[in-house]
Amino acid sequence: MASFRLTQVASHLNGTKAPRTQIGVQSPDDIIIVQALRTPITRARKGGFKDTTSEYLLGTILRGLLERTHIDPTLVDDICVGNVCPPGGGATTARMAALYAGFPNTTSVQTVNRQCSSGLQAVVHIAHAIQAGMIDVGIGAGVESMTQFYGPQHKLIPDTISDEVMEAPQVADCIIPMGLTSENVSAEFCIPRSKQDAFAALSHQRAARAQKLGYFNEEIYPVRTKIADKDGKETEIIVDRDDGVRPEATAESLGKLRAAFSADGATTAGNASQVSDGAAAVLLMKRSRAKELGLPIQGKFVASAVAGVPPRIMGVGPAYAVPAVLKKTGLTVAQLDIIELNEAFASQAVYCVETLGLDINKVNPKGGAIAFGHPLGCTGARQISTLLTELKRQDKRVGCTTMCIGGGFGMAAIFESEH
Amino acid sequence: MFPCKYRTAGFKGYAVKFSPFTDRLLASAASANFGLVGNGRLSILTTTTTNTSNSRTQSNTNNSPLTILPQQHYDTQDGLFDLSWNELHENQLISASGDGSIKLWDITLKTHPVAKWKEHKREVMSVEWNYTAKTTFLSSSWDGSVKLWNPVHAQGSVQTFSEHNGCVYTAAWSPRHQDQFASCGEDKSIRLWSTNAPQGRSIASFGGHTDQVVSLDWNKYSPDVFVTSSTDRTIKIWDTRNLRGSVTMFGPFEFPVRRVKFCPFSPHFIASAGYDMSASVWDVRNGSVTFVHDAHTEFVFGIDWSYFHPGQIASCGWDEQIHVFNVPLPQ
């Protein structure tokens, strides 16, 4: 008898500690998202932003976030911006953009490059900084002008690389063009071209339908900018929609395209993500702070994880990152209501959907990068705005964003809608 | 502010409750040897504003007690883990014992209880008198059951509710629906019951705590809201209307909270007491701690609010101490 009572008291002191962030539970220390917002995404060199520079795009979306949330800019401690291609990592242009947007010079700015996940990594850096108490209020953002900084004339890899380093295992794999990593995935995991084209067509169909029904209206902040015609004459325009979407695309029509990266390959321009321009930004703080400031809460950041994979098949990244983040949260794949899986290539997207056992109806319900583009640094932040608005529209709760990353990684994060 | 103290020498405090009838009257349930083995003691105490120990006068408000005086005490065979005052008779109270018995005491009598019920097969962990209907009381036990009793019902318990697995730490009456109560237990679950439900089946179940749920109390002003504390080291606030489960959580802390009690004077405040050897007051609107009482030197297991003095709290713990102190209740 006494021993049972003793064991009971001991059990109280050895109980399983509850996780700090739980689905369906609100804690004053939760890291919440006041608002996630994005610009439209346009085709690099040809679309609405072809004459728009990255600091203007970033500055505009930061301004948009201030406008929509009505937050006092002086309260924002730090802005972290993900971008991949610009010179100097975009650090100076990001600072310029913040000042242009109306933030005081007391708001700090930093940039981050984790390739295609940069926008997500930026948001996660800010979430962690708030959790650690380094800052109180922050913005995680992403921007990429692939018109300005991506292409054969722009070097992302230096001319001179040490021979000794290049000889080490897997190092040479790091400079395989992304399209060839897609071919590696297609071949190694036997993803037929037909499946890839079908997936690509689905992306376009879903994006077209979402555009028609106005499902993107809440996440998009229209951008006033200038565009020059072939004679250099400038006109002012308002860009308010993604211009890469092809409503008429079918698996059959995409099947006619030539392989783009290898002669007998499966990856074409039609089943790969588009090269695009765009920006996105997410305002984060603790729940207690949002309540104090009287700000609405769009969603909650739950957890994130990153996983390393072989560089030559970098596309498999999400197949490792998603299980890693699910393990952290104790959730199962079935408990995810919507998954934003970046469509770098249909090959890797199909592989990840099948390997993870995802319900295709829960994956990219508004289409993905194949339909509307993948502005590299922007995507990770953009996915959050697409995810939270769609969770609200479908009246669902738990979402996951994930992407593969050049160099051989995957990243994934879990969010909960608080609509 | 210097807390007003009383020592239940030789007996470790498990529960303390203010009388709902008589201002300044309170009782404590305590057990020898930390409640592991040995006797129990039910102590009847009164607080007084006059300092009887010496003639020095101190200026104080009517609210501030200066001393706790013993009035009566009753010793029992096994340890006592909880008590509850009778809502119909100002001199009566019930005690919950480690031998599975519940005793009804009259404080005008010197030694023996006026009634004894022994049905539970294991330790009785909590008792609570129905403060809306007033004629019945609940008991919860380590035998996994909650029992409904009416003192005039001679045959024993009126009904038994057995759905929990393992120890049921607390059963608490709803402040609005006199037939409804909630229970929580070792099986990490919380159940909502009605004494009118057919076959004694629970009407709802709430999950989410990742370890044992040891205490539960209802918000007296928002009657769909209740608070729980768990050995998963959190406090959670639930709304019975929200089965989807949007719940507010404080913590996880370093040590579990052993008892939680909503304030009878305000919907916004909860008193908590626990294994960190302190008692705290929480503002549930923002999760901030508005008061910490850390004068105890052992686990604090019992806590209660006065029904007569807003912000007056009694706490008791394994340091054999009963403290009475006042806390602010900011608007």
Side-chain angles (χ1 to χ4, degrees), chain B residues 125-143:
Chain B
M125 306 303 290
S126 81
V127 281
E128 195 185 49
W129 211 283
N130 189 322
Y131 47 93
T132 41
K134 301 189 189 289
T135 52
T136 55
F137 65 88
L138 287 173
S139 63
S140 76
S141 168
W142 201 330
D143 67 9

Side-chain angles (χ1 to χ4, degrees), chain A residues 168-186:
Chain A
Q170 302 180 75
V171 173
D173 293 344
C174 298
I175 54 176
I176 297 175
M178 292 296 107
L180 283 181
T181 69
S182 169
E183 294 298 356
N184 288 342
V185 169
S186 297

